[in-house]
Amino acid sequence: MNNLKKSIKLISYSVGVKRQIAMSLVFLAIGIGIEICTGCSNVLGGFYIALIGTVPAQMILLVTVPSAVKASPFYRKITVDMFGFLIFLSELFCFTVVALIHGIYAAITPANADVSYTIVLLVAAVVFLTEAITPLMYKHYWAAFFLLLVCVWGLFMPCGAYIYGDKSLHLAVWVYYLAGYVLVLLGMLVGMLVNRVFYKHELDPMTYKSMMKKLDGSL
């Protein structure tokens, strides 16, 4: 709880807080809109919602750009523990939104329940990848980008048959949800491990330039 309070306080010192929150709300609205329009039969809505899960962590990372913060004994705690904790909490919220929407739709249209619940599990897998690879993205952007691309491709290629075809999983509802939340938790743990390995590495030049533009734009 103490780390959460400190994280929220640090975010308030970040740049463009209102703009970032506004963007997150827009993505959330787009994601929910896609879910409603497609009848929860498309994974795209869940992706849009999951995208906003990294925003709070991005905001706290902006606070660490100045050299004075890097010299602080709290730098590691901010960039590893608080960073990972914030991604976890925000992605947990995002996944819960997706799970609730799909749960409601499955209750209204039982015939499509398997498709809806399988997409919930797929979104959880995407959240896991996001939590696990995001820390690397800030230190080695292109390596992380291609790793994410390969992982997502490997995840989606075999999934069509399980979502829409004869190979539907037909699992109990609680199994989908339990597996989903376990994936979200594991994503945080893997992400924090990755961050501990790479936290001493300098920010990737592309990431650094992007952050400096945001800082310059706030002046």
Side-chain angles (χ1 to χ4, degrees), residues 54 57-58 83 87 129-139 144:
T54 60
Q58 290 175 27
F83 181 87
I87 287 184
L129 291 174
T130 302
E131 290 178 292
I133 297 176
T134 293
L136 184 61
M137 190 79 72
Y138 287 99
K139 302 302 176 75

Side-chain angles (χ1 to χ4, degrees), residues 13 24 29 32 49 98 122 128 133 138 142 149 159 168 197 214:
Y13 296 138
S24 298
I32 293 174
I49 295 172
V98 173
L122 185 58
F128 169 84
I133 297 176
Y138 287 99
W142 287 112
L149 197 66
C159 282
S168 184
V197 172
K214 290 178 181 178

Side-chain angles (χ1 to χ4, degrees), residues 4-15:
L4 178 59
K5 290 179 181 178
K6 288 180 181 178
S7 301
I8 293 172
K9 189 174 182 179
L10 278 171
I11 284 176
S12 68
Y13 296 138
S14 187
V15 298

Side-chain angles (χ1 to χ4, degrees), residues 41-131:
S41 62
N42 193 305
V43 77
L44 186 60
F47 282 175
Y48 269 96
I49 295 172
L51 278 175
I52 69 175
T54 60
V55 172
Q58 290 175 27
M59 289 195 287
I60 200 172
L61 204 59
L62 278 169
V63 181
T64 68
V65 173
S67 299
V69 179
K70 290 183 178 180
S72 167
F74 294 104
Y75 177 72
R76 185 174 184 275
K77 190 175 187 64
I78 293 169
T79 56
V80 177
D81 297 334
M82 292 185 183
F83 181 87
F85 189 59
L86 278 175
I87 287 184
F88 169 68
L89 287 182
S90 50
E91 290 290 8
L92 183 65
F93 167 78
C94 293
F95 176 71
T96 300
V97 170
V98 173
L100 285 173
I101 292 172
H102 281 257
I104 292 169
Y105 185 80
I108 295 171
T109 57
N112 297 319
D114 264 336
V115 170
S116 195
Y117 289 134
T118 305
I119 291 175
V120 167
L121 197 55
L122 185 58
V123 171
V126 171
V127 168
F128 169 84
L129 291 174
T130 302
E131 290 178 292

